[in-house]
Amino acid sequence: MRNIDWNQAAPGVWKTTIGSPGGWTPLTCLNRRPRTEAMKELPEAALPLSGETIDLRELRAGGSLLSLPLAESEELYGMGLQFMHMNQRGRTRYLRVNSDPKQDTGETHAPVPFLVSGRGYGILVDSARAVTFYCGSALRQHKDAAAEARDRNTDRGWKATPVSDRLEIRLPQEGADVYVFAGPGMQDVVRRYNLFCGGGTLPPRWGLGFWHRVPTLFRDAEVEQEAMEFRARGIPCDVIGLEPGWHSASYPVTYEWDGGRYPDPAGFVSRMRDAGFQVNLWEHPYVSPESALYGSMRELSGSYSVWGGLAPDYTLEAARKLYADQHEREHVSLGVSGYKLDECDGSELTRNAWMFPAHAEFPSGHDGEQMRQLYGLLLQDVTDRLYRGKNRRTYGLVRASNAGASNLPYVLYSDLYDHRQFVRALCNASFAGLLWCPEVRRADSVEDWIRRMQTVCFSPLAMLNAWGDGVKPWSYPEAEAIIRHYIRLRMRLLPYLYTVFAEYEEKGIPPFQAMPLVLADEMQEQGKREETGGSSFGTGKSESGFNTAEGAYGKQAGREWDDQFCIGRDLLVAPLFAGETGRDILLPGGVWYEAETGARHAGGQVVHVDCPLERLPLFVREGAIIPMMPALDHVPEGQTEIPVEMVHFGTEPGEGLLYDDDGETFDFEKGGGSWLKVRVAIAQGGGFTGTAEKGGPACRYNITGWRFGQTRLPQE
Amino acid sequence: MRNIDWNQAAPGVWKTTIGSPGGWTPLTCLNRRPRTEAMKELPEAALPLSGETIDLRELRAGGSLLSLPLAESEELYGMGLQFMHMNQRGRTRYLRVNSDPKQDTGETHAPVPFLVSGRGYGILVDSARAVTFYCGSALRQHKDAAAEARDRNTDRGWKATPVSDRLEIRLPQEGADVYVFAGPGMQDVVRRYNLFCGGGTLPPRWGLGFWHRVPTLFRDAEVEQEAMEFRARGIPCDVIGLEPGWHSASYPVTYEWDGGRYPDPAGFVSRMRDAGFQVNLWEHPYVSPESALYGSMRELSGSYSVWGGLAPDYTLEAARKLYADQHEREHVSLGVSGYKLDECDGSELTRNAWMFPAHAEFPSGHDGEQMRQLYGLLLQDVTDRLYRGKNRRTYGLVRASNAGASNLPYVLYSDLYDHRQFVRALCNASFAGLLWCPEVRRADSVEDWIRRMQTVCFSPLAMLNAWGDGVKPWSYPEAEAIIRHYIRLRMRLLPYLYTVFAEYEEKGIPPFQAMPLVLADEMQEQGKREETGGSSFGTGKSESGFNTAEGAYGKQAGREWDDQFCIGRDLLVAPLFAGETGRDILLPGGVWYEAETGARHAGGQVVHVDCPLERLPLFVREGAIIPMMPALDHVPEGQTEIPVEMVHFGTEPGEGLLYDDDGETFDFEKGGGSWLKVRVAIAQGGGFTGTAEKGGPACRYNITGWRFGQTRLPQE
């Protein structure tokens, strides 16, 4: 066992180096600047776990083991894009990238080695190799271990997995840099992490509109016709995605337009842009021998091919430049808005072994295991920098990520398709600096179709992916009106959504939040108000109370509430799943309104809501001020003014924020953004009065009016 | 890259040492004596692959990579108890023990690092650590790699997994001993492997009777009553298995009888034995604090507990002795016949992390990863030696095995339950020195129940496991007669089965054989007869022809035929699965008879057989001489004479073997076995005549008669 020296790396963040890590890690790969100034705004905090026993021991088989204490009911969250559970206490999480994460092992598309504890601290192992977190799942043999034994023959309390009082982290052979993030609340931990990684991403405004991907072998005219059908039917749409067939050859890919299906790419993209559509291109990292890039990329690629194509070493500047130049010339300069980066997440532990093996060698000296672990980050980074270089924001999709990704303009997706898992992934992403898209690809029934479409409209990226079956929002006549309503509602809520993302960018606050983050934050606030001493961190006296029998919501102990989430502070979304006609919803404290019925609920409890198929349970917090715009066909370009109505909820005064900027460039980083403080107060003589205090230069919003004391969202 | 020096380790077996392996491996753990004399009877063979390029390279991340050439259509079999495929060509097999092997990664209960190539060689990596075989799944970037690329947009021949021309084996960090086994045929390879590991196991004769496991909390009287019901209903049964409830506490276990349910264990076992039942006890390796063993075992155990119990270090003689003495005293001396060794196969990559972690430390100096990999072997070995010490054979069940296990009297099983996977596992076990039990635990329908019961009656261990639901062979009245028929048929075929196992023991011939083993052997024989030059090994000119488009059975290329198998040389079993009313069957060359209808089929082709629910397609080879006994209630003990009828099939003369010994002890190892050569010849004046030439001392069989020229099995 060894003592650990922690050195402060940023406000509320400490670092130690264990072993001799190689130097190429998620954080160094991305090399983002920590947002130190913003971190200083968070509560001051001391080094977590000081005074408690942290062990470090070398392992006989190589590597070392870091061991931390766990309180009895301490919850452990995060560790990337987990599909199976939210609280990982009692489980072993093997954080290796995996393109087909069907088993409950911890492997996933985005295996982020960052854990958030219910006791209000976080721990990050910054490594390009697989790290294993034993989240109280390894029961060390000690004096009292025998007390854990129970007789399964007769004791109904017997558990398949006894829970231990140590968190153990198995570090890679060569060691790793380990970071600890302070709270006091879980939300503070996550914000510190996001800010340390460069802050959250702020998508272009159009990125928050509706997305539609067309069938893979569509040609230009078919795409344009399908796009225009959205306009004809009054269904907003901002982005059309093209699938593999736009390439002259795919799997591996050329990155070159197919001359048959797209004889005039520039004209095609230009016509789409004129009609208000962004064009997003599918690709993956493997270069076809048919590609003009092949010859020059060959010496810059790994020793194993993928589908017969090259796997370039994108740690090499020369490879990045070849890729970026080609993409700039043949797509970006034409107006293409971004990419869907598929299959960056190959692994050996899957059914189809299409990926290069762990022992592949790359010209930079990295091996296949490292390269697989960070391939998604590399591709995100190279495309992000390409667009940054043109002072143009992008927003896209990616299948693979890792630590440090909060600042990257990408949303994860998967070939998995369980609706509940999709919502859970959305929740879990919020602990890990990730965004998740519960894309709709197909449905078992019209009911399933509607429920999935409702969910995706309240997610970081609202997309229908018809690449395989060609389904459209109007494919089921009985569903069309419902789906139109929710796509239009998303558009109307866009000023709120955009503000929520701006808070992600500047303050590190996750735009979509799992319930433990919301509740921990709330209890933290409540603790402050009640002056009961603030943080309970390190005292072991109490935990967040979430999901424990003694907690505030003890009646529902055992339920994870991983099927509902908040968007920003004021909206709560509780998706329904096929087969359900209603559901239980855990409301945080305060008063909440059902946004489409106006029903009022006291929070701090579980409520049951019956919910016909045409409705998704959406709640607004008492006192919230929700900025809303019209359901335009698409986000207007450039300097077009956008009319906004301010909708205030309930019987209490309130305050909020409204963010705006040009929606397209990075000028906001140099002061080009505008924060409006909005406030609703009791007016003299009763009733309410609203004010919006302009806070910056580039405001396209024109506040056209106020609605006070609402209990539901206004009809269109 | 390094040159490899191969040293002959036994006839047709070569060894090399790569790196500095630790010394504790499957082979050294079991320390069985290679059956050198028997190996000399196999065809002489040169070092496989001599003259071809075998690479060995050190990997940057540690460990090394062994790379061998693959011919274009070379099939790769084995690698332990694989459930998902038979031919592993094109797949990556990660050979780590896993208790819940639902994903197609190579992980399994028995991850044997032994591969059998269709070109007629085998390769074993003798290591207690996980080994990865890239079975042509890693496509090295070379001059012609581009030729592998295809356009998925338009080319229907595109494959998710391109297939490479190298077999790559990733060795553990510390290295390993690697063995190569010569052919010329695949059957020779497997036989050499089995003989090198000490030969096959010969179960006690009663082990091949029918087994029934009773519900977990049954008490003595309930067990006896259920057992006697078999007798009353004329359903043979030799073994009754007790589940966790016989322990005074379980999960972890005490190994002590529960005084409430079993107040008089000795009396209970003795009464069962008197009624002709063997008693088999369920257990697992984790010692309860309630066990008298706990105190003295504590210092001899690993640093992590399992369910609050100890995980003893059974590499330590002291731990083995404590365990063996307790088991001898409290079970074996009472007459208990053997064990079901559950949960030796814990892993981190599973849903419930109940197992000790990879970094657990054991007093012997081994770590958790090694111990998990070999825990099943250790428990098999300690119980095997316990019974050997009493000159009494045992036969039992185990959930975990590894290389070198052919000589161990254990049969594998799983918590998985797919019927097709169960048959595939039975097939695949034959490449790896393993035995598999497709136990019946429950059913989706009476049809499913019957089909599963039919299958299990033609397996290495015919068992109904009613631990959970208490189902009995007579639970479904409409099924009882069919099931009785097949259990009785198994008993009637027991002399044949026992002979087949004796050939496993002495000659290493797998008693149950996957079709590629049968066909490769057959083509080998045919090649010899046609004097076309014998072995094609190393020439790359041709492969076994199995599962390739150009092969003898080319019409069914792509189908694995992993749903049928042979028992010995003369019986072929083709199970049906719920929902089927008939099936295609691949018959080896020659002529085959449907054993229950007498239908005659020309072999060397695929035939279709319609098959009502009461019938399992069972085929007998032309010229076969099948020894059959009456369907006794159970295998008679001691010196009781057993009447046997010799049943000859078809219109051709034939010859065969009949093995016998005392059925219970190891005296056969000292010449106590008896081989009868049986022969059917054309009699003078037409018709047939049969002779049986006695070959040894202890023969209990009394040949009561001959049936010649049969086309079906005689009715009872």
Side-chain angles (χ1 to χ4, degrees), chain A residues 103 134 139-141 151-153 160 168 170 250-251 303-305 307 348 358-359, chain B residues 61 103 134 139-141 151-153 160 168 170 250-251 303-305 307 348 358-359:
Chain A
Q103 288 270 79
Y134 301 84
L139 206 65
R140 190 164 268 276
Q141 188 64 43
D151 181 10
R152 192 183 184 183
N153 286 339
E168 299 187 330
R170 186 169 183 166
S250 79
Y251 284 85
S303 55
Y304 287 78
S305 71
W307 291 304
E348 285 166 26
H359 56 267
Chain B
Q103 289 270 81
Y134 300 84
L139 205 65
R140 191 163 268 275
Q141 188 63 46
D151 182 10
R152 192 182 182 184
N153 287 339
E168 298 187 331
R170 187 170 182 164
S250 79
Y251 285 86
S303 55
Y304 286 78
S305 71
W307 291 304
E348 285 167 27
H359 55 267

Short mmCIF file of all heavy atoms in Angstrom, two decimals, chain A residues 103 134 139-141 151-153 160 168 170 250-251 303-305 307 348 358-359, chain B residues 61 103 134 139-141 151-153 160 168 170 250-251 303-305 307 348 358-359:
data_model
loop_
_atom_site.label_atom_id
_atom_site.label_comp_id
_atom_site.label_asym_id
_atom_site.label_seq_id
_atom_site.Cartn_x
_atom_site.Cartn_y
_atom_site.Cartn_z
N GLN A 103 -24.65 -7.18 -23.12
CA GLN A 103 -24.47 -7.80 -21.81
C GLN A 103 -24.22 -6.73 -20.76
O GLN A 103 -23.65 -5.69 -21.05
CB GLN A 103 -23.27 -8.75 -21.83
CG GLN A 103 -23.51 -10.01 -22.59
CD GLN A 103 -24.07 -11.12 -21.71
OE1 GLN A 103 -25.25 -11.14 -21.42
NE2 GLN A 103 -23.22 -12.05 -21.30
N TYR A 134 -14.86 -1.77 -9.56
CA TYR A 134 -15.62 -2.72 -8.75
C TYR A 134 -16.41 -1.87 -7.75
O TYR A 134 -15.89 -1.42 -6.74
CB TYR A 134 -14.70 -3.68 -8.00
CG TYR A 134 -13.81 -4.50 -8.92
CD1 TYR A 134 -12.60 -3.99 -9.40
CD2 TYR A 134 -14.18 -5.78 -9.30
CE1 TYR A 134 -11.80 -4.74 -10.25
CE2 TYR A 134 -13.37 -6.54 -10.15
CZ TYR A 134 -12.19 -6.00 -10.62
OH TYR A 134 -11.39 -6.75 -11.46
N LEU A 139 -15.92 -8.35 -2.41
CA LEU A 139 -16.08 -8.43 -0.96
C LEU A 139 -14.81 -8.98 -0.34
O LEU A 139 -14.58 -10.18 -0.34
CB LEU A 139 -17.26 -9.37 -0.68
CG LEU A 139 -18.03 -9.20 0.62
CD1 LEU A 139 -18.74 -7.85 0.64
CD2 LEU A 139 -19.05 -10.31 0.76
N ARG A 140 -14.00 -8.07 0.17
CA ARG A 140 -12.72 -8.50 0.72
C ARG A 140 -12.96 -9.35 1.97
O ARG A 140 -13.84 -9.07 2.76
CB ARG A 140 -11.86 -7.26 1.04
CG ARG A 140 -10.42 -7.57 1.38
CD ARG A 140 -9.55 -6.32 1.29
NE ARG A 140 -8.95 -6.18 -0.02
CZ ARG A 140 -7.83 -6.79 -0.38
NH1 ARG A 140 -7.18 -7.57 0.46
NH2 ARG A 140 -7.34 -6.63 -1.59
N GLN A 141 -12.15 -10.38 2.10
CA GLN A 141 -12.25 -11.29 3.22
C GLN A 141 -11.65 -10.59 4.45
O GLN A 141 -10.47 -10.30 4.46
CB GLN A 141 -11.45 -12.56 2.88
CG GLN A 141 -11.59 -13.68 3.86
CD GLN A 141 -13.01 -14.19 3.90
OE1 GLN A 141 -13.65 -14.36 2.88
NE2 GLN A 141 -13.54 -14.40 5.08
N ASP A 151 -28.29 -17.78 4.47
CA ASP A 151 -28.66 -19.12 4.01
C ASP A 151 -29.74 -19.01 2.94
O ASP A 151 -30.87 -18.66 3.22
CB ASP A 151 -29.17 -19.94 5.20
CG ASP A 151 -29.54 -21.36 4.78
OD1 ASP A 151 -29.23 -21.75 3.63
OD2 ASP A 151 -30.15 -22.08 5.59
N ARG A 152 -29.36 -19.30 1.71
CA ARG A 152 -30.32 -19.19 0.61
C ARG A 152 -31.44 -20.22 0.74
O ARG A 152 -32.52 -20.05 0.21
CB ARG A 152 -29.58 -19.37 -0.72
CG ARG A 152 -30.42 -18.99 -1.93
CD ARG A 152 -29.67 -19.27 -3.22
NE ARG A 152 -30.43 -18.83 -4.38
CZ ARG A 152 -30.04 -19.00 -5.62
NH1 ARG A 152 -28.88 -19.58 -5.89
NH2 ARG A 152 -30.78 -18.58 -6.64
N ASN A 153 -31.15 -21.31 1.45
CA ASN A 153 -32.18 -22.33 1.64
C ASN A 153 -33.42 -21.73 2.28
O ASN A 153 -34.54 -22.11 1.96
CB ASN A 153 -31.68 -23.46 2.55
CG ASN A 153 -30.68 -24.37 1.85
OD1 ASN A 153 -30.63 -24.42 0.63
ND2 ASN A 153 -29.87 -25.07 2.63
N ALA A 160 -28.04 -12.23 -4.71
CA ALA A 160 -27.08 -12.82 -5.64
C ALA A 160 -25.75 -12.09 -5.57
O ALA A 160 -24.70 -12.66 -5.80
CB ALA A 160 -27.63 -12.78 -7.06
N GLU A 168 -13.33 -0.40 -5.55
CA GLU A 168 -11.99 -0.76 -6.00
C GLU A 168 -11.87 -0.45 -7.49
O GLU A 168 -12.76 -0.77 -8.26
CB GLU A 168 -11.72 -2.24 -5.73
CG GLU A 168 -11.78 -2.56 -4.24
CD GLU A 168 -11.35 -3.98 -3.93
OE1 GLU A 168 -11.53 -4.87 -4.79
OE2 GLU A 168 -10.84 -4.21 -2.82
N ARG A 170 -9.41 -1.02 -10.72
CA ARG A 170 -8.23 -1.69 -11.25
C ARG A 170 -7.66 -0.84 -12.37
O ARG A 170 -8.28 -0.63 -13.41
CB ARG A 170 -8.60 -3.07 -11.78
CG ARG A 170 -7.37 -3.83 -12.21
CD ARG A 170 -7.64 -5.30 -12.48
NE ARG A 170 -6.39 -5.95 -12.82
CZ ARG A 170 -6.21 -7.25 -12.87
NH1 ARG A 170 -7.20 -8.05 -12.61
NH2 ARG A 170 -5.04 -7.75 -13.18
N SER A 250 -19.05 1.94 -50.09
CA SER A 250 -19.13 2.02 -48.63
C SER A 250 -18.76 0.70 -47.97
O SER A 250 -18.86 -0.36 -48.59
CB SER A 250 -20.52 2.44 -48.19
OG SER A 250 -21.41 1.36 -48.24
N TYR A 251 -18.37 0.81 -46.72
CA TYR A 251 -17.94 -0.38 -45.95
C TYR A 251 -16.80 -1.11 -46.63
O TYR A 251 -16.97 -2.26 -47.03
CB TYR A 251 -19.10 -1.33 -45.70
CG TYR A 251 -20.04 -0.84 -44.62
CD1 TYR A 251 -21.06 0.03 -44.94
CD2 TYR A 251 -19.90 -1.24 -43.30
CE1 TYR A 251 -21.93 0.49 -43.96
CE2 TYR A 251 -20.76 -0.78 -42.32
CZ TYR A 251 -21.78 0.07 -42.65
OH TYR A 251 -22.63 0.52 -41.68
N SER A 303 -1.83 -1.48 -38.76
CA SER A 303 -1.32 -2.68 -39.43
C SER A 303 -2.43 -3.66 -39.81
O SER A 303 -2.15 -4.65 -40.47
CB SER A 303 -0.31 -3.37 -38.52
OG SER A 303 -0.88 -3.64 -37.26
N TYR A 304 -3.66 -3.41 -39.40
CA TYR A 304 -4.78 -4.29 -39.78
C TYR A 304 -5.84 -3.47 -40.50
O TYR A 304 -6.05 -2.30 -40.20
CB TYR A 304 -5.38 -4.95 -38.54
CG TYR A 304 -4.49 -6.04 -38.00
CD1 TYR A 304 -3.37 -5.71 -37.24
CD2 TYR A 304 -4.74 -7.37 -38.26
CE1 TYR A 304 -2.53 -6.70 -36.74
CE2 TYR A 304 -3.90 -8.37 -37.78
CZ TYR A 304 -2.79 -8.03 -37.02
OH TYR A 304 -1.97 -9.02 -36.55
N SER A 305 -6.50 -4.11 -41.44
CA SER A 305 -7.54 -3.42 -42.19
C SER A 305 -8.90 -3.71 -41.58
O SER A 305 -9.07 -4.64 -40.79
CB SER A 305 -7.50 -3.85 -43.66
OG SER A 305 -7.96 -5.18 -43.77
N TRP A 307 -12.80 -4.26 -42.95
CA TRP A 307 -13.56 -4.51 -44.19
C TRP A 307 -12.68 -4.29 -45.42
O TRP A 307 -13.16 -3.85 -46.47
CB TRP A 307 -14.80 -3.60 -44.25
CG TRP A 307 -15.84 -3.96 -43.24
CD1 TRP A 307 -16.44 -5.17 -43.08
CD2 TRP A 307 -16.41 -3.11 -42.24
NE1 TRP A 307 -17.33 -5.12 -42.04
CE2 TRP A 307 -17.35 -3.87 -41.52
CE3 TRP A 307 -16.22 -1.77 -41.88
CZ2 TRP A 307 -18.09 -3.36 -40.46
CZ3 TRP A 307 -16.97 -1.25 -40.84
CH2 TRP A 307 -17.88 -2.04 -40.14
N GLU A 348 -13.29 -6.55 -29.69
CA GLU A 348 -13.16 -7.99 -29.91
C GLU A 348 -14.31 -8.76 -29.30
O GLU A 348 -14.60 -9.87 -29.70
CB GLU A 348 -11.87 -8.49 -29.28
CG GLU A 348 -10.67 -8.11 -30.09
CD GLU A 348 -9.40 -8.30 -29.32
OE1 GLU A 348 -9.36 -9.13 -28.40
OE2 GLU A 348 -8.43 -7.61 -29.63
N ALA A 358 -6.79 -5.84 -30.84
CA ALA A 358 -6.11 -5.10 -29.77
C ALA A 358 -4.62 -4.98 -30.06
O ALA A 358 -3.97 -4.02 -29.64
CB ALA A 358 -6.33 -5.81 -28.44
N HIS A 359 -4.07 -5.96 -30.76
CA HIS A 359 -2.62 -5.95 -30.99
C HIS A 359 -2.23 -5.25 -32.29
O HIS A 359 -1.07 -5.30 -32.68
CB HIS A 359 -2.06 -7.37 -30.95
CG HIS A 359 -2.74 -8.29 -31.93
ND1 HIS A 359 -3.81 -9.08 -31.60
CD2 HIS A 359 -2.52 -8.55 -33.24
CE1 HIS A 359 -4.20 -9.78 -32.63
NE2 HIS A 359 -3.44 -9.47 -33.65
N ALA B 61 1.97 -3.70 -25.95
CA ALA B 61 1.21 -3.65 -24.69
C ALA B 61 1.50 -4.86 -23.81
O ALA B 61 0.82 -5.08 -22.81
CB ALA B 61 -0.28 -3.56 -25.00
N GLN B 103 -23.19 -13.99 -24.71
CA GLN B 103 -22.69 -13.27 -25.87
C GLN B 103 -21.72 -14.15 -26.65
O GLN B 103 -21.04 -14.99 -26.08
CB GLN B 103 -21.95 -12.00 -25.43
CG GLN B 103 -22.85 -10.91 -24.89
CD GLN B 103 -23.31 -9.97 -25.98
OE1 GLN B 103 -24.24 -10.26 -26.71
NE2 GLN B 103 -22.68 -8.82 -26.09
N TYR B 134 -7.60 -15.37 -32.67
CA TYR B 134 -8.20 -14.64 -33.80
C TYR B 134 -8.22 -15.62 -34.97
O TYR B 134 -7.22 -15.83 -35.64
CB TYR B 134 -7.38 -13.40 -34.14
CG TYR B 134 -7.25 -12.41 -33.01
CD1 TYR B 134 -6.27 -12.58 -32.04
CD2 TYR B 134 -8.10 -11.32 -32.90
CE1 TYR B 134 -6.13 -11.68 -30.98
CE2 TYR B 134 -7.97 -10.42 -31.85
CZ TYR B 134 -6.99 -10.61 -30.89
OH TYR B 134 -6.87 -9.73 -29.86
N LEU B 139 -7.51 -8.93 -40.04
CA LEU B 139 -7.10 -8.82 -41.44
C LEU B 139 -5.90 -7.88 -41.52
O LEU B 139 -6.04 -6.67 -41.50
CB LEU B 139 -8.27 -8.25 -42.23
CG LEU B 139 -8.37 -8.57 -43.72
CD1 LEU B 139 -8.59 -10.05 -43.94
CD2 LEU B 139 -9.52 -7.79 -44.33
N ARG B 140 -4.73 -8.47 -41.59
CA ARG B 140 -3.52 -7.66 -41.60
C ARG B 140 -3.46 -6.84 -42.89
O ARG B 140 -3.82 -7.32 -43.96
CB ARG B 140 -2.28 -8.56 -41.46
CG ARG B 140 -1.00 -7.83 -41.21
CD ARG B 140 0.07 -8.77 -40.68
NE ARG B 140 0.07 -8.81 -39.23
CZ ARG B 140 0.71 -7.94 -38.45
NH1 ARG B 140 1.42 -6.97 -38.99
NH2 ARG B 140 0.66 -8.04 -37.15
N GLN B 141 -3.04 -5.61 -42.74
CA GLN B 141 -2.92 -4.70 -43.87
C GLN B 141 -1.69 -5.12 -44.68
O GLN B 141 -0.58 -5.05 -44.19
CB GLN B 141 -2.74 -3.28 -43.32
CG GLN B 141 -2.79 -2.18 -44.34
CD GLN B 141 -4.16 -2.14 -45.01
OE1 GLN B 141 -5.16 -2.20 -44.33
NE2 GLN B 141 -4.18 -2.03 -46.31
N ASP B 151 -18.20 -3.22 -52.00
CA ASP B 151 -19.10 -2.09 -51.82
C ASP B 151 -20.43 -2.58 -51.27
O ASP B 151 -21.19 -3.24 -51.97
CB ASP B 151 -19.30 -1.37 -53.16
CG ASP B 151 -20.21 -0.16 -53.01
OD1 ASP B 151 -20.52 0.22 -51.86
OD2 ASP B 151 -20.61 0.40 -54.05
N ARG B 152 -20.70 -2.26 -50.02
CA ARG B 152 -21.94 -2.72 -49.41
C ARG B 152 -23.15 -2.06 -50.06
O ARG B 152 -24.27 -2.59 -49.98
CB ARG B 152 -21.91 -2.41 -47.90
CG ARG B 152 -23.00 -3.10 -47.12
CD ARG B 152 -22.95 -2.71 -45.64
NE ARG B 152 -23.97 -3.42 -44.88
CZ ARG B 152 -24.20 -3.22 -43.59
NH1 ARG B 152 -23.46 -2.36 -42.92
NH2 ARG B 152 -25.13 -3.88 -42.96
N ASN B 153 -22.94 -0.89 -50.64
CA ASN B 153 -24.06 -0.23 -51.31
C ASN B 153 -24.69 -1.12 -52.37
O ASN B 153 -25.91 -1.12 -52.56
CB ASN B 153 -23.59 1.06 -52.01
CG ASN B 153 -23.28 2.17 -51.01
OD1 ASN B 153 -23.75 2.15 -49.88
ND2 ASN B 153 -22.47 3.13 -51.45
N ALA B 160 -20.07 -8.99 -43.20
CA ALA B 160 -19.81 -8.21 -41.98
C ALA B 160 -18.41 -8.50 -41.45
O ALA B 160 -17.77 -7.66 -40.85
CB ALA B 160 -20.85 -8.51 -40.92
N GLU B 168 -4.23 -15.97 -35.61
CA GLU B 168 -3.37 -15.25 -34.67
C GLU B 168 -3.79 -15.60 -33.24
O GLU B 168 -4.98 -15.63 -32.93
CB GLU B 168 -3.46 -13.75 -34.89
CG GLU B 168 -2.99 -13.35 -36.28
CD GLU B 168 -2.91 -11.85 -36.49
OE1 GLU B 168 -3.68 -11.11 -35.84
OE2 GLU B 168 -2.08 -11.42 -37.31
N ARG B 170 -3.16 -14.54 -29.34
CA ARG B 170 -2.55 -13.59 -28.40
C ARG B 170 -2.26 -14.30 -27.09
O ARG B 170 -3.17 -14.75 -26.40
CB ARG B 170 -3.49 -12.40 -28.17
CG ARG B 170 -2.82 -11.34 -27.34
CD ARG B 170 -3.62 -10.06 -27.28
NE ARG B 170 -2.87 -9.09 -26.49
CZ ARG B 170 -3.09 -7.79 -26.48
NH1 ARG B 170 -4.05 -7.29 -27.21
NH2 ARG B 170 -2.37 -7.00 -25.74
N SER B 250 -26.74 -22.82 2.72
CA SER B 250 -26.18 -22.83 1.36
C SER B 250 -25.98 -21.42 0.83
O SER B 250 -26.62 -20.48 1.29
CB SER B 250 -27.09 -23.62 0.43
OG SER B 250 -28.20 -22.85 0.04
N TYR B 251 -25.09 -21.32 -0.15
CA TYR B 251 -24.76 -20.01 -0.75
C TYR B 251 -24.27 -19.02 0.29
O TYR B 251 -24.92 -18.00 0.48
CB TYR B 251 -25.95 -19.43 -1.54
CG TYR B 251 -26.17 -20.10 -2.86
CD1 TYR B 251 -26.94 -21.25 -2.92
CD2 TYR B 251 -25.64 -19.59 -4.03
CE1 TYR B 251 -27.15 -21.89 -4.13
CE2 TYR B 251 -25.85 -20.22 -5.24
CZ TYR B 251 -26.61 -21.36 -5.29
OH TYR B 251 -26.82 -21.98 -6.48
N SER B 303 -8.28 -13.72 -0.76
CA SER B 303 -8.46 -12.46 -0.02
C SER B 303 -9.86 -11.88 -0.19
O SER B 303 -10.19 -10.90 0.45
CB SER B 303 -7.42 -11.45 -0.48
OG SER B 303 -7.48 -11.27 -1.89
N TYR B 304 -10.68 -12.46 -1.06
CA TYR B 304 -12.05 -11.98 -1.23
C TYR B 304 -13.02 -13.11 -0.95
O TYR B 304 -12.73 -14.27 -1.24
CB TYR B 304 -12.27 -11.44 -2.65
CG TYR B 304 -11.58 -10.10 -2.85
CD1 TYR B 304 -10.22 -10.03 -3.07
CD2 TYR B 304 -12.31 -8.93 -2.79
CE1 TYR B 304 -9.58 -8.80 -3.22
CE2 TYR B 304 -11.69 -7.69 -2.95
CZ TYR B 304 -10.32 -7.63 -3.17
OH TYR B 304 -9.71 -6.42 -3.32
N SER B 305 -14.17 -12.75 -0.41
CA SER B 305 -15.16 -13.76 -0.11
C SER B 305 -16.17 -13.85 -1.25
O SER B 305 -16.26 -12.97 -2.10
CB SER B 305 -15.87 -13.44 1.21
OG SER B 305 -16.71 -12.32 1.03
N TRP B 307 -20.27 -14.57 -1.63
CA TRP B 307 -21.49 -14.64 -0.83
C TRP B 307 -21.18 -14.66 0.67
O TRP B 307 -21.89 -15.28 1.46
CB TRP B 307 -22.32 -15.87 -1.21
CG TRP B 307 -22.91 -15.78 -2.59
CD1 TRP B 307 -23.72 -14.79 -3.05
CD2 TRP B 307 -22.74 -16.69 -3.68
NE1 TRP B 307 -24.06 -15.04 -4.37
CE2 TRP B 307 -23.47 -16.20 -4.77
CE3 TRP B 307 -22.03 -17.89 -3.82
CZ2 TRP B 307 -23.52 -16.85 -5.99
CZ3 TRP B 307 -22.08 -18.53 -5.05
CH2 TRP B 307 -22.82 -18.02 -6.12
N GLU B 348 -15.94 -11.67 -14.03
CA GLU B 348 -16.34 -10.28 -13.86
C GLU B 348 -17.30 -9.83 -14.95
O GLU B 348 -18.04 -8.89 -14.78
CB GLU B 348 -15.11 -9.37 -13.94
CG GLU B 348 -14.29 -9.43 -12.68
CD GLU B 348 -12.94 -8.81 -12.88
OE1 GLU B 348 -12.79 -7.93 -13.73
OE2 GLU B 348 -12.03 -9.24 -12.17
N ALA B 358 -10.58 -10.49 -10.29
CA ALA B 358 -9.33 -10.93 -10.92
C ALA B 358 -8.13 -10.61 -10.05
O ALA B 358 -7.12 -11.31 -10.09
CB ALA B 358 -9.18 -10.24 -12.29
N HIS B 359 -8.23 -9.56 -9.24
CA HIS B 359 -7.08 -9.17 -8.43
C HIS B 359 -7.08 -9.80 -7.05
O HIS B 359 -6.24 -9.45 -6.21
CB HIS B 359 -7.02 -7.64 -8.31
CG HIS B 359 -8.28 -7.03 -7.78
ND1 HIS B 359 -9.30 -6.57 -8.58
CD2 HIS B 359 -8.69 -6.80 -6.52
CE1 HIS B 359 -10.28 -6.08 -7.82
NE2 HIS B 359 -9.93 -6.21 -6.58
#
